[in-house]
Amino acid sequence: MTTAGRAGAWWARLALLALAAGVLVPLLAAGARSVLWVLLGIAGLALAAVGLWWTLAHSGVLRIVGAALCVAAPLTVLALYAAGGMLAPAALSLALWAVAVGAARAAVAPVRAEPAPAPPPHRPWALMNPRSGGGKVDRFRLADRARAAGARVELLGAGHQDVAALAEAAVRDGADLLAVAGGDGTQALVAEVAARHGLPFLVIPAGTRNHFALDLGLDRDDPAKALDALTDGVELRVDLGFAAGRVFVNNASFGTYAEVVADPAYRGEKRRTTLRLLPGLLSGPSAPRLRMRADGTRADGLQALLVSNNPYLRVADAARPGRRERLDSGRLGVLGVRVESAVRAAGAARGARAAGLLRTTAAEVVVEADTPAVPAGVDGEHVLLTAPVVCRIAPGALRVRVPRAVRGTRWGTGAPDWLRVTRLARGRQDDGP
């Protein structure tokens, strides 16, 4: 067995040991009554989900009651657990389950070849937005550091500028690497130009969130570290997503979220605007209803649909929700939501098995609506796309240059394959899922 195989076997054994301990702890503490305590916890989650639905989908008194229920339901469950002496065993059991899931993911995570060092570019070009991320470009002296590394820097001014046109002009001027310090929307536009010309692309995480940079393994707290790739970098091949021909590095959202982003007040008052609009969008007569085809899967009546460049890990069972396992699977992630009542919201406590949740992957997704155009949020930017909207993925389309110390993501699957984990723990060769 190889070194990687032995490491996977030990991770698998740790996962099974932690899993068994997580089951035994409540059994030892409460015996057969532990089943009742589990059911109580599930009931608390269901009531909290109902409260969240009322908070988001209604206004007035029902919203107040829902907000109170969101807080009261889990607190009541915690109080009952404490009174019954089950709070510590429950916390220990949950911690052991988290260890088990994390170890299982490590056991079956793909072993990736070490990327080869990439030669430094001769004429790198960097586009920087001084207003992104609250002024990270100036705060970290990114422009000066990029120039010191040999890059030609172009700063975005106030007002609308054609980012793609600026990148195309840089290519015509001889740029052999395109870099961006800004938000994900700006990153995507320049990434498309880099992919079209076969040039390496450098991400400098100077935006507010920079999910793409996070999943590449870059340090968002110190964006200047990304500039090390100009002199000591390696190259990764990652996928790009397209929605009606518009590129996205993270995701394209349709339905509820896209409608919220479209409101002019959203940029200045995100939370207030969202709470104001959600009741009409979730349960009102103007609530969006989408139809979707993803390879062999069909769904209709969806209120929200998220199509991502590679699947996201599951929120309910992931140590790092909102992360992607990898950026080179060649598959779109698909997450659809259809919650029309408090009963459906309560059912969401079942997680991925809930009737109102759709989760799958596909090479192509077609989004349909009863209107000629569909509002969409493409990497957080509001656009109006002609229906039907075809979303596709271009495997390995983008050459990304990262510092040598960065290894990218390696989190394993969102839901561990326990049969594979068991085989590994027994010392059998892992032949994939």
Side-chain angles (χ1 to χ4, degrees), residues 49 60 79 150 155 159 163 174 224 246 258 304 310 331 333 385 401:
L155 298 176
V163 170
R246 185 182 176 102
N310 286 260
R331 303 287 288 177
L385 303 177
R401 193 71 57 89

Side-chain angles (χ1 to χ4, degrees), residues 227-319:
L227 293 170
D228 293 343
L230 292 174
T231 54
D232 185 23
V234 295
E235 192 167 291
L236 309 173
R237 280 278 185 176
V238 304
D239 308 333
L240 283 179
F242 291 84
R246 185 182 176 102
V247 72
F248 58 89
V249 294
N250 291 322
N251 57 65
S253 60
F254 304 89
T256 303
Y257 175 71
E259 297 277 1
V260 171
V261 173
D263 192 281
Y266 177 75
R267 293 296 176 190
E269 293 285 348
K270 289 183 172 62
R271 185 176 303 174
R272 183 177 299 178
T273 304
T274 301
L275 289 174
R276 174 173 57 83
L277 295 177
L278 276 180
L281 294 174
L282 291 175
S283 57
S286 60
R289 292 293 183 267
L290 303 170
R291 298 184 299 278
M292 181 274 300
R293 302 194 312 271
D295 291 350
T297 302
R298 293 176 177 267
D300 57 15
L302 296 173
Q303 293 152 293
L305 178 65
L306 184 76
V307 180
S308 58
N309 175 22
N310 286 260
Y312 285 104
L313 295 171
R314 294 178 181 175
V315 174
D317 63 358

Side-chain angles (χ1 to χ4, degrees), residues 170-270:
V171 174
R172 289 194 298 271
D173 196 38
D176 59 353
L177 178 144
L178 304 182
V180 177
D184 286 321
T186 306
Q187 300 275 4
L189 294 172
V190 178
E192 181 181 20
V193 176
R196 188 185 311 125
H197 293 280
L199 296 177
F201 177 67
L202 175 62
V203 176
I204 307 170
T208 303
R209 295 179 179 85
N210 280 126
H211 292 294
F212 187 52
L214 179 66
D215 287 337
L216 285 170
L218 298 173
D219 187 350
R220 297 186 301 179
D221 295 324
D222 188 359
K225 288 182 179 179
L227 293 170
D228 293 343
L230 292 174
T231 54
D232 185 23
V234 295
E235 192 167 291
L236 309 173
R237 280 278 185 176
V238 304
D239 308 333
L240 283 179
F242 291 84
R246 185 182 176 102
V247 72
F248 58 89
V249 294
N250 291 322
N251 57 65
S253 60
F254 304 89
T256 303
Y257 175 71
E259 297 277 1
V260 171
V261 173
D263 192 281
Y266 177 75
R267 293 296 176 190
E269 293 285 348
K270 289 183 172 62

Side-chain angles (χ1 to χ4, degrees), residues 295-353:
D295 291 350
T297 302
R298 293 176 177 267
D300 57 15
L302 296 173
Q303 293 152 293
L305 178 65
L306 184 76
V307 180
S308 58
N309 175 22
N310 286 260
Y312 285 104
L313 295 171
R314 294 178 181 175
V315 174
D317 63 358
R320 290 171 171 82
R323 297 292 303 272
R324 283 167 286 186
E325 173 198 358
R326 54 193 299 181
L327 294 169
D328 59 356
S329 72
R331 303 287 288 177
L332 295 168
V334 183
L335 179 62
V337 178
R338 182 177 57 207
V339 181
E340 299 164 330
S341 66
V343 175
R344 274 279 175 86
R350 298 175 60 202
R353 296 181 300 276

